[in-house]
Amino acid sequence: MNGHFTIGELGAKTYFLGTASVLGLVFWFIAGDDLLSPLASFLKWQAQTLLPMVLLLLSHISLHQNAYFDQLPPWIKLIVSGLVGALLFSPIALLIDYLPALPTSSDQVALLRALANEWLAVTPPIVLVWLAMNLPWIRGFRLIKVGETKTEDRQTTPASEHKSASRQSVFLELLPRNIQAPLIYLKAELHYISVTTTKGKALVLYNLKDAIKELDPELGSQCHRSYWVNFSHIECFSKTGREGKITLSNGTHIPVSRRYRDYFAKFPTESCTAEPP
């Protein structure tokens, strides 16, 4: 497998929302709901799988705005975002399942007890499914298109591939307006990319390779399987054994894989320490 899944045109959004929809279909087929019509029952199960998936994705992206969360190990990040997503979905699940039998607003204790029970019921399956769906990325696998070669096997991407249709940088439009500014670097984060600009950082649900294809090759280059850097923000390059490291204008140190080391060796080395922290 070489760290990749060859699965055609499937993207991250399609993978997560499509899988959630399929799970809803399976649950509807197995469990159904005798009190509802087949269509109403189908829509109910779709809501119970698609809504938590959307909340999980939004929770994970939002939490990445926090510097402390951004430094956590991948498994811990997913558990935290899973717990937050389950917490947000609990009142929705309660409404979907028990709306006709919900306690009245005057009975606040019973309402809170019902909400707590619902959270305890939905949290384990939501978190487990969330972890299972992210397992391929944690294990180092990536989604690629059929016939596509491994990104790290090429030192540079031909300019003709990038300029063939003057593509618009769609992923840049997903950034919050307050950080839309010149790029410094991109980093693959599971099925997201962490986008760092001169005004801040944000996480977007996007494929790193697709984002690189949308950028002018004269602006920057991939330096590692998980990183792209802007040439104008490279302060210096230093060799570290068989690989290397780049120091950027914001003080960040970016790894350079062995396949890209000679290409980036043309950048200044005088101001770099032999082993950046």
Side-chain angles (χ1 to χ4, degrees), residues 185-188 208 221-229 254-255:
Y185 72 96
L186 306 177
K187 178 185 178 183
L208 178 63
S221 171
Q222 192 162 7
C223 61
H224 183 277
R225 183 179 67 180
S226 301
Y227 289 90
W228 174 96
V229 294
I254 301 296

Side-chain angles (χ1 to χ4, degrees), residues 94 101-117:
L94 189 63
L102 279 179
T104 62
S105 57
S106 59
D107 192 355
Q108 295 183 358
V109 175
L111 187 60
L112 290 175
R113 185 181 297 113
L115 187 58
N117 290 336

Side-chain angles (χ1 to χ4, degrees), residues 210-231:
D210 291 337
I212 292 174
K213 282 185 176 181
E214 295 174 4
L215 298 171
D216 187 338
E218 297 180 0
L219 179 65
S221 171
Q222 192 162 7
C223 61
H224 183 277
R225 183 179 67 180
S226 301
Y227 289 90
W228 174 96
V229 294
N230 188 330
F231 292 143

